[in-house]
Amino acid sequence: MACSASTCQSNCYREQQDEEEDVKDKNTNPIATNTISNRNNNNGLCLKCKANPPISADTDGDDSRFCADCFRGNLFGKFRFAVTSNAMISPTDSVLVAFSGGPSSRVALQFVHEMHNKAQKNFDASRDRSLPVFGVGVAFIDESTVYSVPSNETDKAVEDIRFIVENLAPPTKRLHVVPIESVYSSDSGDCRERLKQLLDAVKDVTGKEDLLLHLRMLALQKIASQNGYSRLVLGSCISRIACHVITATVKGQGYSLPADIQYVDSRWEIPVLLPLRDCLAQELNMLCRLDGLKTVELIRSPCTGINGLVSSFVSLLQEENASRECTIVRTAGKLIPFHFNRIQEIDDSNVPLATRRRQKRYNLKPNECFSLESFCFICNSPLSKSDLLSLRNLESCQTSPDNCGAACCLSCQFQILPQDPSLLDQFSAILPQQLIARAKHDNLDSYSGLREQIQDCLLSEGEDET
C-alpha cells in the first residue's frame, strides 16, 4: 500500500502514481503509442519486457507489440486505472457484475474477481482486519422468451455460466439467473405473455431492439436493488461504445449521449460502472484465448435496422484503420458530462486515503448547470431543455398523466411508442409498472417545477406573440 508520506524515501506512492499516469497516457494517445512501438519493436521482442517475442507479428494492435504476460498486464492496467481513478469500488461496496457470456463481460468478471481475491488476501494478512472486503455477485439475464431458444440449450448455457462462476477462486460469488420478464411484478398475471405483447406492439425493428436493451437494464437494476448491491458493472468496451456514439447521433439522442459513454453513470438507483471503457473488443477476445477464459455462446437474433447497419459500418472502419473506434470514443468524450456521471465524494474512514485523493484528482468536472434533469420514462435518457420548454407537452402531462408521449425523448416517441394516439392507453397497460410509475411521478414533478420557473415568460391565451 502506498504511504504517500512526504518524508518517505521509498517512492512507493510515486511509482504507483507514475504507473497510473503511463496507463492514462496510453489510453488517451494511442497514435503516439503506436508510433513509439513501431520505432522500437524492430528487434522482434516485446516492447515492454524486451525479453519475449510478441504474441503476433501480423497485426497492428497490442498483440503485435507485447508478449502474453505484458499484454495481459497492460489490459489489466487499463481496467485498474479506470476503477481507481474514478473511485468506482470502495471496500464497503457490494458489486454486481452483469454477465452475458461474451468475451467482454467474461473479462470484466475475471478482473473484478482478481481485485476481490487480492482484497481478501490483504484482509486475511492484516492484523487488525479493520478494512472490509467488498462483495461480488454475478447476474445473468435469461432472454429465451424473446428469442425462442429451446429449453435444453438455455439450460446448458445456464449450467456453463454456473460452472464458470463456481470455479472462480474464493471468495465465493453468488449467481443470479433471472428471466427478462421479471421486470413485471409477480401479481401482474402472465409475465411472459405480457412481455411478448409489449414487444409485438413495437413495429419498428430498431425500436424493438432498443426497448429490449432498456428492459435488460431494468432487470439488472431490480436484481441489484433487491439483493443489496451498491454497484453494477457492465462489460461495455470501446468497440460497443463507438457503435453507440454513432447510433445515438443518428437517432437524435445527441443531447443525452454524454451520459452514456462515461466511466460512471449514477442516474440509476444503482450506479452503473464501465471499467473496460478503454479496452478494444479485439484485445478482450485475445485475452480470453490466451488465458483460456471460457465464454458462453447464446443464440440471439443479429441486430438489424439502424443498430445492425452502424455495427457493420464501424467494423469496416476498424478493419481499415485500427484506431477508428478509439478516435470515435475519444471525440465523443470531449462532450460535457452530466452531474450524475461521477461517484459521490467518499467520506468514509474505511476508504483508503489514496482512493479519496485519486477521486478528487481524476474525477470528471461536470457542468453544474445540469443539476436538475428530467428523464425519459422508457430509456431514462436526460431530456433536452427544448423539449421541456414545450408548453403543449407541459399541459398534456398535467391534464393527462397517463399520456406517455409527453414524458419521452424523441427517439422513443418515434421508434417505440405507437404512432396512433388511440393505441397509447393500450400500450401503457402492458408496460412494466416501474416505467409507469416513473412516467407519472418523476417527470410530472419535473414538468410542474419547470413550469413554475418559467411562468413569467409564458403567454396567456389572450396575449399576442408580438
Side-chain angles (χ1 to χ4, degrees):
M1 179 181 294
C3 64
S4 70
S6 59
T7 58
C8 176
Q9 300 298 324
S10 62
N11 291 330
C12 55
Y13 180 74
R14 194 174 304 141
E15 291 175 359
Q16 182 180 6
Q17 180 178 346
D18 293 342
E19 182 181 355
E20 291 180 352
E21 291 292 346
D22 292 341
V23 173
K24 183 178 180 181
D25 292 340
K26 291 178 181 178
N27 293 343
T28 56
N29 195 3
I31 298 178
T33 303
N34 290 334
T35 303
I36 297 174
S37 64
N38 292 333
R39 186 187 307 131
N40 296 298
N41 200 26
N42 296 328
N43 54 3
L45 296 177
C46 171
L47 177 66
K48 186 173 183 180
C49 68
K50 296 180 176 58
N52 301 315
I55 301 173
S56 173
D58 300 330
T59 62
D60 296 328
D62 283 351
D63 53 346
S64 66
R65 306 195 301 269
F66 301 117
C67 64
D69 292 338
C70 294
F71 173 79
R72 191 188 189 285
N74 182 63
L75 201 59
F76 182 75
K78 295 179 182 179
F79 172 86
R80 182 179 58 188
F81 177 78
V83 171
T84 57
S85 64
N86 294 279
M88 291 184 179
I89 301 175
S90 66
T92 57
D93 284 329
S94 185
V95 180
L96 180 66
V97 181
F99 184 54
S100 64
S104 297
S105 60
R106 181 64 184 91
V107 173
L109 174 60
Q110 183 66 26
F111 285 170
V112 170
H113 160 68
E114 292 181 10
M115 290 187 62
H116 189 210
N117 189 31
K118 184 177 180 180
Q120 183 65 48
K121 289 181 178 179
N122 292 339
F123 176 80
D124 295 337
S126 62
R127 293 183 178 180
D128 55 358
R129 298 192 174 185
S130 60
L131 194 64
V133 179
F134 66 92
V136 177
V138 183
F140 171 72
I141 305 300
D142 180 9
E143 301 178 9
S144 56
T145 301
V146 179
Y147 297 107
S148 300
V149 180
S151 58
N152 59 335
E153 295 186 9
T154 302
D155 294 340
K156 183 180 183 303
V158 172
E159 286 301 318
D160 290 341
I161 293 173
R162 197 177 304 277
F163 175 81
I164 292 173
V165 176
E166 291 178 351
N167 279 270
L168 294 173
T172 58
K173 296 156 185 63
R174 185 180 177 186
L175 175 63
H176 307 270
V177 180
V178 177
I180 193 170
E181 57 266 25
S182 65
V183 294
Y184 292 97
S185 58
S186 57
D187 57 351
S188 59
D190 189 351
C191 301
R192 178 171 296 189
E193 186 61 29
R194 291 192 65 182
L195 176 62
K196 290 182 177 180
Q197 292 178 2
L198 177 62
L199 295 177
D200 291 340
V202 180
K203 304 305 180 183
D204 186 84
V205 176
T206 304
K208 185 174 297 186
E209 294 172 354
D210 292 345
L211 177 59
L212 183 61
L213 180 65
H214 306 328
L215 294 177
R216 188 182 304 141
M217 174 59 74
L218 203 64
L220 290 171
Q221 287 287 323
K222 187 175 182 179
I223 296 173
S225 178
Q226 291 180 347
N227 293 275
Y229 293 99
S230 57
R231 300 286 187 270
L232 175 60
V233 173
L234 302 184
S236 300
C237 59
I238 282 183
S239 306
R240 183 168 183 176
I241 296 175
C243 292
H244 178 72
V245 169
I246 298 181
T247 54
T249 305
V250 172
K251 297 172 186 175
Q253 296 176 321
Y255 175 79
S256 62
L257 176 59
D260 303 328
I261 61 175
Q262 310 299 332
Y263 292 100
V264 176
D265 186 356
S266 298
R267 79 186 113 158
W268 304 92
E269 178 185 357
I270 309 299
V272 177
L273 312 178
L274 304 181
L276 296 181
R277 182 181 177 272
D278 297 320
C279 302
L280 293 167
Q282 178 186 0
E283 297 174 334
L284 302 177
N285 291 330
M286 177 64 69
L287 183 64
C288 288
R289 291 196 296 268
L290 291 175
D291 288 1
L293 300 179
K294 184 181 174 76
T295 57
V296 180
E297 299 235 352
L298 300 175
I299 300 178
R300 290 177 177 173
S301 302
C303 292
T304 55
I306 295 177
N307 298 326
L309 290 174
V310 170
S311 179
S312 301
F313 174 68
V314 174
S315 298
L316 181 61
L317 291 179
Q318 186 69 8
E319 291 177 2
E320 295 177 352
N321 190 325
S323 64
R324 292 296 188 193
E325 292 175 344
C326 295
T327 301
I328 294 173
V329 176
R330 190 169 63 252
T331 302
K334 298 181 183 298
L335 297 173
I336 299 176
F338 290 85
H339 69 96
F340 50 75
N341 285 129
R342 60 177 176 179
I343 297 292
Q344 294 182 355
E345 278 195 29
I346 300 174
D347 187 15
D348 190 346
S349 59
N350 290 327
V351 179
L353 179 62
T355 301
R356 285 177 279 176
R357 285 181 174 176
R358 290 190 192 100
Q359 184 188 24
K360 291 182 178 180
R361 178 178 180 183
Y362 294 110
N363 212 357
L364 296 172
K365 298 177 177 57
N367 192 335
E368 297 299 336
C369 68
F370 293 146
S371 58
L372 296 177
E373 291 293 337
S374 297
F375 300 93
C376 171
F377 84 101
I378 293 180
C379 66
N380 207 28
S381 296
L383 299 176
S384 63
K385 290 186 177 181
S386 60
D387 294 334
L388 297 178
L389 290 174
S390 173
L391 179 60
R392 179 176 58 84
N393 284 350
L394 288 169
E395 292 178 345
S396 64
C397 187
Q398 288 181 333
T399 58
S400 178
D402 292 329
N403 186 354
C404 301
C408 265
C409 64
L410 293 178
S411 176
C412 291
Q413 286 186 32
F414 290 108
Q415 295 181 327
I416 295 180
L417 292 182
Q419 298 303 306
D420 187 353
S422 62
L423 299 177
L424 281 176
D425 292 338
Q426 180 181 353
F427 184 82
S428 301
I430 56 179
L431 283 173
Q433 185 60 33
Q434 185 174 346
L435 297 184
I436 295 296
R438 187 189 299 170
K440 286 184 178 180
H441 297 94
D442 296 344
N443 287 285
L444 181 59
D445 293 342
S446 298
Y447 284 142
S448 301
L450 180 62
R451 185 179 178 86
E452 291 179 1
Q453 296 178 20
I454 65 173
Q455 185 66 42
D456 296 338
C457 302
L458 299 177
L459 298 176
S460 62
E461 295 183 358
E463 292 179 335
D464 192 354
E465 293 184 2
T466 57

